[in-house]
């Protein structure tokens, strides 16, 4: 750590290029060989899965691909090291790539899978090492300032490390299960070294005189507040309160010890009290009982998850039966406080999952199999409730991602559910206090989930393209209508001219706007045609026949093109031209100022109106400026809680921001559009309590937060 006070810079600093070279050397030393260390654990994981899955063809494909990758190991390590070094080159030269939005058609499906897997690894590690990254990046910002760089990309940030790994396998096709293992074990390997790497990097920067100056310190403080959700609460969006294990245990103890209103619970559901004359079972004894039972039928747990009873009571009853079988009579023993904590928290987490996630009835048996294994994990490892990246939490998150909203309507959805059921069964059979079972089960399921995430990504892209297309159409219609309306109201026109301008010319303007844009030469020519026809109508009204004939001859080709853009063939276009000429041939024809006629395609507006809240922003009252500002700052990928018209709360992500209207398109976890609205309209939802900030979907973390809220209400 730096010895310099906050806000003070070292009087003498080491040459920044030398410092960067030292960090680069350290990074290559600690990470440079990682790709070559992954194949042994992957081979073990494939061998384990082969004993449980009847998928010989796929297993052969995975083994063959692994054999090929092993033979290219040296080249992969070299490319990986080159990519790590490239990150430092980009830092020095400001060749920052920024966020890469994948463009449809530029990557084949295999490469898209790699990029999606890399993004997931980067996001997971960024969340895990957020505080360490804030310190490192603040010091790097100070160093960048001495080089005159205004922006920078952290060369040792998780996103850059994920990109380096993806690029190491550029052009390589990797089967889904093997790809899941590859990125899963890479993430685990990084997790074992990043704490030290970030600590040493921060120390090197501080020792070289690049401490955190005041501006950077404020940035770190602001980022920390954002991570905790404080900024969302201040802006009025709100956020789910974070909860610690100690807080949960305190609430549980208060609940059990009677610090609640008695009328909240009936006698059968009341918390267990201390029983006189009975010793507490040791944690090891409870684990032994759970191990005895975990592979047996779990109908009682499935019934409890269906709402026919409390899961915590069902677990206690089942453990009591198992204790008798092991000679631990309930007449002389009872479950101790620590074991009670584990049982209650696991039960409440599973109940919250079924209360908050869209889980179908067939999921009950799948989750019921997992109850006792998770009780065992909770009994022996408190990190289950403290660490979002705990292997058992990651697996439950993955299983919930596979099952939530899965109606098994397609072959892929059925396969995904069957794979989730298979890994749940494996955990129930194999878990013997070895977390590798959870890691391997997660890697296998995540390989298939990567395909689902790709489908969600493509669904979001299609939804954004559809909305963008309709907005472009609506924008072009409004612009064309404004141009036509001004010509129709500028001077009295005969019916033939007004009809042509309000139909054929109007459609022509729309087509040119959509194809070429408002600033194009073609649009200028299209507008000039309308102005020329208005002038020609004036010539006709003044009986200037020769000038009118000359003008119409000069416009003949442009008028033909205009009629042709409406899909008319040459014959129909000639008839249209004749009708226009015939109308202009009579100087004494009635002339009037004409209103803009209704569009023939007005029925299409019904779909447009569905894209945003009815009424538009002109009917909304003024909104809280702080809320509007916070909503305007939302970026693509940020999550919100949205309550729909039926009162159901769903998680929605900002999937796209319109470049035309700045409206935000919100999509659900399956990538389907749920709402398109302006910032002011979203602010109105916030004011109604229908929109609030949310964390990225983590089923276990959400359930744990709901457990905390449930206990807070009970002890209020």
């Amino acid at each position: 750590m730096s010895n310099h006070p906050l806000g003070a810079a070292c009087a003498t600093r080491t040459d920044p290029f030398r410092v960067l070279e030292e960090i680069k050397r350290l990074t290559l030393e600690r990470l440079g060989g990682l790709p070559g260390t992954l194949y042994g654990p992957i081979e073990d994981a494939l061998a384990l899965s082969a004993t449980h899955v009847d998928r010989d063809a796929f297993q052969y494909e995975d083994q063959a691909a692994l054999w090929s990758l092993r033979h290219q190991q040296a080249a992969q390590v070299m490319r990986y090291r080159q990519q790590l070094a490239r990150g430092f080159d980009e830092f020095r030269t400001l060749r920052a790539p920024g966020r890469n939005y994948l463009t449809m058609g530029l990557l084949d499906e295999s490469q898209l899978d790699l990029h999606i897997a890399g993004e997931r690894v980067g996001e997971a590690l960024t969340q895990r090492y957020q505080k360490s990254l804030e310190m490192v990046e603040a010091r790097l910002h100070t160093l960048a300032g001495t080089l005159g760089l205004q922006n920078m990309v952290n060369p040792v940030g998780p996103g850059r490390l994920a990109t380096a790994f993806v690029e190491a396998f550029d052009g390589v096709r990797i089967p889904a299960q093997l790809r899941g293992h590859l990125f899963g074990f890479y993430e685990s390997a990084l997790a074992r070294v990043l704490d030290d790497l970030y600590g040493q990097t921060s120390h090197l920067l501080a020792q070289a005189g690049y401490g955190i100056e005041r501006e950077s310190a404020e940035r770190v403080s602001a980022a920390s507040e954002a991570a905790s959700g404080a900024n969302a609460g201040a802006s009025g969006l709100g956020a789910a309160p974070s909860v610690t294990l100690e807080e949960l245990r305190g609430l549980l103890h208060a609940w059990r010890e009677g610090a609640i209103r008695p009328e909240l619970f009936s006698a059968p559901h009341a918390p267990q009290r201390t029983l006189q004359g009975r010793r507490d079972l040791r944690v090891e004894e409870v684990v032994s009982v759970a191990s005895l039972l975990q592979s047996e039928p779990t109908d009682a747990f499935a019934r409890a998850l269906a709402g026919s009873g409390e899961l915590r009571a069902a677990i206690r009853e089942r453990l009591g039966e198992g204790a008798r079988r092991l000679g631990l009579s309930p007449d002389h023993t009872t479950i101790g406080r620590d074991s009670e904590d584990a049982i209650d928290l696991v039960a409440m987490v599973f109940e919250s999952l079924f209360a908050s996630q869209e889980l179908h009835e067939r999921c009950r048996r799948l989750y019921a199999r997992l109850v006792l294994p998770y009780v065992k994990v909770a009994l022996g490892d408190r990190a289950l409730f403290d660490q979002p990246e705990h292997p058992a939490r990651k697996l439950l998150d993955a299983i919930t991602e596979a099952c939530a909203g899965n109606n098994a309507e397609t072959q892929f959805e059925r396969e995904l559910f069957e794979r989730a059921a298979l890994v749940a069964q494996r955990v129930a059979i194999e878990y013997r206090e070895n977390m590798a079972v959870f890691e391997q089960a997660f890697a296998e399921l995540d390989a298939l989930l990567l395909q689902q995430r790709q489908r969600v990504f493509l669904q979001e892209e299609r939804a954004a393209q559809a909305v963008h297309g309709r907005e472009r159409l609506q924008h072009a219609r409004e612009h064309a209508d404004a141009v036509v309306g001004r010509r129709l109201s500028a001077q009295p026109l005969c019916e033939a001219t007004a009809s042509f301008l309000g139909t054929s010319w109007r459609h022509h303007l729309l087509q040119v706007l959509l194809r070429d844009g408002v600033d194009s030469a073609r649009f200028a020519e299209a507008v000039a045609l309308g102005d020329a026809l208005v002038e020609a109508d004036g010539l006709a009204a003044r009986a200037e026949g020769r000038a009118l004939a000359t003008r119409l001859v000069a416009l003949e080709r442009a008028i033909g093109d205009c009629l042709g853009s409406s899909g008319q063939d040459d014959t129909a276009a000639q008839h249209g031209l004749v009708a226009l000429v015939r109308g202009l041939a009579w100087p004494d024809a009635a002339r009037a100022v004409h209103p803009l006629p209704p569009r023939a395609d007005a029925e299409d507006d019904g779909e447009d109106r569905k894209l945003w809240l009815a009424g538009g922003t002109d009917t909304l009252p003024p909104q809280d400026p702080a809320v509007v500002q916070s909503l305007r700052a939302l970026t693509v990928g940020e999550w919100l809680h949205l309550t729909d018209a039926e009162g159901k709360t769903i998680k929605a992500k900002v999937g796209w921001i319109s470049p035309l209207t700045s409206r935000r398109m919100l999509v659900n976890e399956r990538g389907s559009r749920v709402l398109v609205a302006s910032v002011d309209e979203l602010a109105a939802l916030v004011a109604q309590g229908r929109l609030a900030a949310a964390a990225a979907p983590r089923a276990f973390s959400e359930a744990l937060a709901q457990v905390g809220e449930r206990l807070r209400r009970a002890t209020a």
Side-chain angles (χ1 to χ4, degrees):
M1 296 297 291
S2 172
N3 294 322
H4 303 296
L6 189 66
C10 182
T12 59
R13 286 173 168 162
T14 306
D15 175 26
F17 293 107
R18 285 181 57 191
V19 177
L20 283 175
E21 281 301 315
E22 181 62 19
I23 298 173
K24 175 181 173 181
R25 181 199 63 77
L26 176 66
T27 302
L28 291 173
E29 178 183 292
R30 300 301 303 273
L31 305 182
L34 277 188
T37 68
L38 306 178
Y39 294 122
I42 291 174
E43 188 169 25
D44 294 340
L46 288 177
L48 179 64
S49 64
T51 63
H52 297 278
V53 186
D54 184 18
R55 53 192 300 275
D56 292 342
F58 295 102
Q59 191 66 31
Y60 174 80
E61 181 184 12
D62 290 335
Q63 294 289 357
L66 179 62
W67 181 87
S68 176
L69 288 176
R70 274 187 175 240
H71 280 71
Q72 301 171 32
Q73 176 178 325
Q76 294 155 11
V77 171
M78 180 183 68
R79 285 196 296 269
Y80 179 69
R81 292 176 66 89
Q82 289 172 342
Q83 286 296 321
L84 292 179
R86 182 180 176 183
F88 290 88
D89 295 338
E90 290 172 351
F91 182 95
R92 284 192 291 262
T93 60
L94 255 188
R95 289 186 290 108
R99 177 175 177 178
N100 291 323
Y101 289 91
L102 299 177
T103 303
M104 307 279 277
L106 295 182
L107 295 173
D108 64 23
E109 187 172 340
S110 176
Q111 290 302 300
L112 183 59
D113 289 336
L114 289 178
H115 280 267
I116 293 173
E119 286 182 3
R120 187 194 63 78
V121 170
E123 290 169 0
L125 292 174
T126 297
Q127 182 176 7
R128 181 169 182 173
Y129 294 101
Q130 186 164 11
K131 290 187 177 180
S132 300
L133 283 167
E134 289 165 4
M135 183 65 70
V136 170
E137 290 179 353
R139 297 187 190 281
L140 283 172
H141 183 82
T142 302
L143 183 145
T146 66
L147 295 173
L149 305 179
Q150 298 300 315
N151 299 302
M152 64 156 207
V153 174
N154 184 354
V156 291
R160 192 68 192 80
L161 300 181
T163 298
F165 192 68
V166 170
E167 294 298 327
F169 296 92
D170 183 41
V172 180
R173 291 184 175 273
I174 305 175
Q177 181 178 219
L178 179 57
R179 184 173 59 249
H181 286 312
L182 189 64
F183 281 87
F185 282 110
Y186 177 60
E187 181 180 334
S188 299
L190 283 178
R192 289 192 290 270
V193 298
L194 285 186
D195 267 328
D196 287 343
L197 176 64
Y198 289 153
Q200 291 181 35
T201 299
S202 184
H203 179 72
L204 279 172
L205 288 164
Q207 200 172 43
Y210 299 98
I212 304 179
E213 302 191 16
R214 187 172 306 278
E215 180 183 356
S216 298
E218 291 172 354
R219 186 179 300 107
V220 171
S221 175
S224 297
E225 289 180 5
S228 66
N231 62 338
S235 68
L237 289 182
S242 58
V243 61
T244 65
L245 177 58
E246 292 309 316
E247 182 183 1
L248 284 171
R249 293 185 67 181
L251 291 168
L252 276 172
H253 298 167
W255 180 37
R256 295 197 196 103
E257 292 165 10
I260 56 172
R261 297 192 303 277
E263 65 270 17
L264 287 176
F265 297 91
S266 58
H269 296 157
Q272 180 171 323
R273 308 296 183 187
T274 302
L275 300 175
Q276 298 296 326
R278 303 183 187 182
R279 74 170 180 86
D280 288 349
L281 287 169
R282 298 190 306 276
V283 170
E284 295 81 1
E285 291 175 315
V286 181
V287 169
S288 297
V289 173
S291 297
L292 174 70
L293 302 170
Q294 74 179 44
S295 60
E296 296 183 2
T298 54
D299 294 345
F301 300 156
R303 288 194 295 271
L305 289 173
S308 60
E310 275 203 344
L311 181 57
R312 56 192 299 274
I315 296 173
R316 281 184 172 80
E317 183 177 350
R318 193 83 176 95
L319 290 175
E321 295 173 0
R324 288 190 185 92
R325 287 159 58 179
L326 289 179
L328 301 171
S329 172
D331 296 332
H332 304 99
T333 60
T334 187
I335 295 175
R337 172 175 285 191
D338 289 345
S339 298
E340 272 198 313
D341 290 349
I343 292 168
D344 288 351
L345 290 176
V346 168
M348 290 178 175
V349 164
F350 274 71
E351 288 170 343
S352 292
L353 284 174
F354 269 80
S356 61
Q357 303 287 338
E358 191 182 345
L359 296 171
H360 295 275
E361 285 300 304
R362 66 180 182 279
C363 299
R364 287 188 290 109
R365 290 189 178 277
L366 185 159
Y367 281 82
R369 293 191 192 105
L370 295 169
V371 168
L372 285 180
Y374 275 81
V375 168
K376 285 175 59 180
V377 175
L379 287 167
D381 187 1
R382 61 175 290 157
L384 175 66
F385 301 106
D386 278 334
Q387 297 180 2
E389 296 302 314
H390 190 284
R393 283 179 72 154
K394 289 174 65 176
L395 178 61
L396 198 60
D397 288 342
I399 288 174
T400 304
E401 183 181 349
C403 295
N406 187 338
N407 297 316
E409 294 176 349
T410 66
Q411 178 61 35
F412 178 78
E413 287 181 327
R414 290 190 289 273
E415 181 183 355
L416 189 59
F417 179 80
E418 290 167 3
R419 184 71 60 84
L422 181 65
V423 299
Q425 182 178 8
R426 177 186 305 177
V427 169
I429 293 173
E430 297 181 3
Y431 175 55
R432 294 292 183 270
E433 295 78 63
N434 181 0
M435 297 310 299
V437 173
F438 288 95
E439 293 174 349
Q440 292 162 357
F442 169 78
E444 180 177 334
L445 181 58
D446 195 54
L448 198 57
L449 283 172
L450 286 175
Q451 297 181 35
Q452 173 166 293
R453 294 179 194 125
Q454 178 186 342
R455 290 165 184 253
V456 170
F457 174 82
L458 296 176
Q459 178 75 8
E460 291 176 12
E461 287 288 311
R462 285 193 289 268
Q465 290 168 4
V467 176
H468 191 209
R470 296 198 67 82
E471 284 198 345
R472 286 187 66 241
L473 176 60
Q474 181 67 15
H475 190 264
R477 282 173 173 170
E478 292 172 355
H479 194 107
D481 288 354
V483 172
V484 175
R486 285 194 295 270
R487 272 65 182 179
L488 291 177
S489 62
Q491 68 184 52
L493 300 172
C494 72
E495 183 60 35
T497 303
S499 176
F500 186 89
L501 293 177
T503 55
S504 299
W505 185 58
R506 186 184 192 181
H507 183 77
H508 181 56
L509 289 174
L510 175 63
Q511 295 299 313
V512 174
L513 279 169
L514 290 173
R515 292 170 182 167
D516 300 279
V518 68
D519 297 323
S520 66
R522 281 198 68 209
F523 183 68
E525 292 170 0
V527 172
L529 170 62
D531 290 337
L533 287 173
V534 171
E535 293 174 7
D537 190 277
L539 294 174
R542 296 190 295 272
E544 299 180 20
R546 184 179 297 277
L548 174 62
T550 302
R551 177 61 58 88
L552 290 177
V553 170
L555 293 176
E556 181 178 1
R557 182 171 181 179
I559 293 172
D561 291 341
C562 174
L563 293 167
S565 71
S566 301
Q568 298 183 23
D569 58 21
D570 290 342
T571 301
Q574 285 296 325
H575 284 301
L577 178 59
V578 168
L580 178 61
V581 172
R582 185 184 298 118
L584 291 171
W586 302 94
D588 55 351
R591 283 177 166 78
V593 173
H594 293 263
L596 183 72
R599 288 201 312 266
D601 52 6
E603 63 272 10
D604 293 343
D605 290 348
E607 177 64 20
D608 294 329
R609 285 193 292 269
K610 295 177 184 177
L611 301 183
W612 44 80
L613 303 184
T617 59
D618 57 339
T619 64
L620 294 173
Q623 302 301 319
D624 184 344
V627 173
V628 172
Q629 182 178 1
S630 64
L631 287 167
R632 209 176 295 281
L634 289 176
T635 58
V636 171
E638 295 194 55
W639 288 88
L640 301 162
H641 282 300
L642 173 67
T643 303
D644 62 19
E646 287 75 33
K648 181 181 178 182
T649 299
I650 61 173
K651 294 205 75 170
K653 181 177 70 173
V654 180
W656 175 74
I657 300 175
S658 170
L660 290 175
T661 65
S662 296
R663 287 184 170 94
R664 271 63 174 166
M665 181 185 75
L666 304 185
V667 297
N668 61 20
E669 293 179 82
R670 295 286 174 170
S672 297
R673 186 185 75 208
V674 296
L675 177 69
V676 181
S678 70
V679 169
D680 287 333
E681 289 169 331
L682 293 177
L685 290 176
V686 174
Q688 297 166 16
R690 294 177 55 194
L691 191 70
R698 287 289 188 100
F700 197 105
S701 297
E702 288 182 50
L704 208 57
Q706 291 164 4
V707 170
E709 186 59 29
R710 172 182 169 186
L711 289 172
R712 288 189 193 97
R713 288 196 303 268
T715 57

